[in-house]
Amino acid sequence: MRKFFQEIKADLKFKTAGPGQKLSEPSRAPKEKPKAEVAPKPRQAPTDEAQRAAAAALARLELKPKAKAPSGSQETIRSHVRKELMAEAAAGEKELSAEEKEQEEEGAAAPSVSGVYFICPLSGAVVRKDQKEKQLREAIQAYFSVDPVAASIMEIHTFNRDREKVRLCVETMAKYLDNIYLHPEEEKYRKIKLQNKVFQERISCLEGTHKFFQAVGFETKTLPVPGQEATEEFYVLKEEVLSRLEELKDRKEQLLSSEPVRAQLHRQLTVFQPSAAAARFELPHDFFNLSAEELRREQRLRTEAVEKAAMLRTRAMREKEEQREMRRYNYTLLRVRFPDGYILQGTFYARESVSVLYDFVREALRDDWLPFELLGPGGLKLTDENLAFNECGLVPSALLSLAWDAAVMADVEAAAEEQRSPLRPELLARAQSLS
């Protein structure tokens, strides 16, 4: 009985617990104690470089508008690609300084070249790609004080882009001079009517032609025309030039045989000390400089690529597209790593042949007779020196390796008193660090 009342009392206590008190539950089977949680390992603090990279990436994400993921329809994909291309084109128009600042924030390597440079063959000045025509014009203009005939010929061949028009022009001009040389007694050959249709269509419309006629001894005169009252302008050869007909003949030959004056690509030969960063390239905008037309073409090609993604393509089709992709680049930055770790770097046209690279390396050697081979990415030997860099996939940049002829090098090492770098001492003295 006592046990019965104790159970009722306990039950009443459970139901009448006061405010703020926790109701006692009837006794139940004890639950399993939860397993003790393993304390997480303390995280290692990120490095300063990682923090800067993360901050820069976060800032770009916050500034970039959020885009919805494209659906599976082809039209939606094409629309998305078009938007991406427009964004890329807009980003490409930003100043170089802004890109360099972003690279610094992200901890990216500084470009090992600051751009594509050219050497003016007349002045020897080294200028950036966008300044080369201006430098050529200034150099040719300055040459007028030395040899006005040669300077005017340079203008004709250099600044008139249509080579067929230039060919027709110089052949017609040479015919004028040839008639004078062959028939010096004929006065009609010593006059050229400026409004003549042939002269206007073939000669007058090209740059430098009037300067040439003036330089070889023609002067402008207004003369009457037989059979009409109005006068017209003529180029008339000065009398004193008739006594120097051989010189006039030489000028004609010079006009016919001349070639355009072209700025030479500056190799920017650089030697780097051994570095693990040899395969990392940071190229400036000059290596990817696209005109408005090229940007439109790029957009069209990438849009077509989306449509072709679902197509079954043959190997030949893929190779053709890869070759078309390679033709987009005008320049390439190549590095050659020597067995001792030193790196030789130079700038080349993408369409130059592999033989040019072999010559470039050979000129940098202390002993240029040493036989060697160049190995492309993946260890592929570059045996066909007639292939262009873009045909070998060595654009817009590539790291190659140099391998010596083993038998020859064994003899050289056996005869040498001490090991030394194969590169010329003056190049090693200027070796830089590749960050």
Side-chain angles (χ1 to χ4, degrees), residues 3 26 50 77 81 84 96 133 137-138 178 234 240 249 304 315 326 342 428:
K3 184 178 180 181
I77 294 174
V81 170
E84 288 291 325
L96 183 59
E133 183 167 339
R137 286 188 178 278
E138 291 176 353
D178 211 31
F234 288 79
E240 59 266 26
K249 181 183 178 183
E304 291 174 358
R315 180 179 178 182
M326 291 301 177
Y342 277 91
L428 289 173

Side-chain angles (χ1 to χ4, degrees), residues 270-274 342-343 423-434:
T270 310
V271 174
F272 293 108
Q273 297 167 356
Y342 277 91
I343 302 159
L423 290 167
R424 298 206 316 261
E426 60 270 25
L427 296 180
L428 289 173
R430 304 198 310 267
Q432 304 176 20
S433 297
L434 184 61

Side-chain angles (χ1 to χ4, degrees), residues 371-397:
F372 64 88
E373 290 181 325
L374 293 178
L375 309 179
L380 182 66
K381 292 182 181 180
L382 301 179
T383 54
D384 190 348
E385 297 187 23
N386 294 320
L387 286 177
F389 295 128
N390 56 3
E391 294 175 325
C392 302
L394 302 179
V395 293
S397 59

Side-chain angles (χ1 to χ4, degrees), residues 141-160:
Q141 188 62 38
Y143 199 68
F144 270 95
S145 61
V146 179
D147 189 342
V149 177
S152 62
I153 292 174
M154 290 179 193
E155 282 194 349
I156 294 170
H157 284 277
T158 304
F159 300 127
N160 297 294

Side-chain angles (χ1 to χ4, degrees), residues 315 317-327 390:
R315 180 179 178 182
M317 291 172 64
R318 290 195 301 271
E319 290 178 351
K320 184 178 180 180
E321 289 182 5
E322 289 171 3
Q323 290 298 322
R324 183 175 64 180
E325 182 74 8
M326 291 301 177
R327 286 195 291 270
N390 56 3

Side-chain angles (χ1 to χ4, degrees), residues 87-287:
E88 288 177 11
E93 295 175 357
K94 291 182 180 179
E95 294 182 358
L96 183 59
S97 58
E99 181 182 344
E100 291 174 345
K101 183 178 179 181
E102 182 178 344
Q103 288 177 349
E104 184 178 352
E105 290 174 354
E106 296 179 3
S112 56
V113 287
S114 58
V116 177
Y117 288 81
F118 288 83
I119 306 171
C120 177
L122 299 177
S123 65
V126 178
V127 296
R128 288 194 69 128
K129 180 177 66 173
D130 57 352
Q131 295 292 315
K132 65 177 181 178
E133 183 167 339
K134 179 175 179 289
Q135 177 63 31
L136 280 175
R137 286 188 178 278
E138 291 176 353
I140 291 176
Q141 188 62 38
Y143 199 68
F144 270 95
S145 61
V146 179
D147 189 342
V149 177
S152 62
I153 292 174
M154 290 179 193
E155 282 194 349
I156 294 170
H157 284 277
T158 304
F159 300 127
N160 297 294
R161 302 300 183 189
D162 191 325
R163 301 309 305 161
E164 180 59 27
K165 285 186 176 180
V166 171
R167 183 193 64 80
L168 192 59
C169 169
V170 298
E171 287 179 356
T172 306
M173 294 170 70
K175 186 63 176 177
Y176 283 131
L177 300 183
D178 211 31
N179 284 336
I180 296 172
Y181 177 77
L182 295 174
H183 311 283
E185 70 286 351
E186 293 284 346
E187 183 181 356
K188 64 178 182 180
Y189 291 125
R190 302 199 297 267
K191 295 188 297 183
I192 303 171
K193 186 164 67 171
L194 299 187
Q195 295 304 315
N196 178 276
K197 183 179 179 181
V198 172
F199 186 86
Q200 287 290 317
E201 292 179 352
R202 297 186 182 181
I203 298 173
S204 186
C205 57
L206 270 66
E207 185 173 351
T209 53
H210 291 281
K211 294 179 182 178
F212 174 81
F213 281 110
Q214 294 165 6
V216 296
F218 285 87
E219 58 183 347
T220 307
K221 287 187 176 182
T222 303
L223 301 175
V225 179
Q228 64 183 49
E229 297 181 0
T231 58
E232 290 193 24
E233 285 192 334
F234 288 79
Y235 272 143
V236 180
L237 190 68
K238 298 175 182 177
E239 289 292 334
E240 59 266 26
V241 179
L242 293 176
S243 60
R244 307 193 305 270
L245 289 177
E246 288 301 323
E247 181 180 319
L248 197 65
K249 181 183 178 183
D250 292 340
R251 295 304 192 184
K252 181 204 75 171
E253 297 298 333
Q254 185 180 358
L255 176 66
L256 289 171
S257 61
S258 291
E259 295 289 335
V261 180
R262 296 286 182 245
Q264 301 163 358
L265 181 64
H266 187 18
R267 296 294 184 204
Q268 300 185 77
L269 186 153
T270 310
V271 174
F272 293 108
Q273 297 167 356
S275 171
R280 184 173 63 180
F281 289 86
E282 295 293 335
L283 299 176
H285 269 231
D286 288 358
F287 281 79

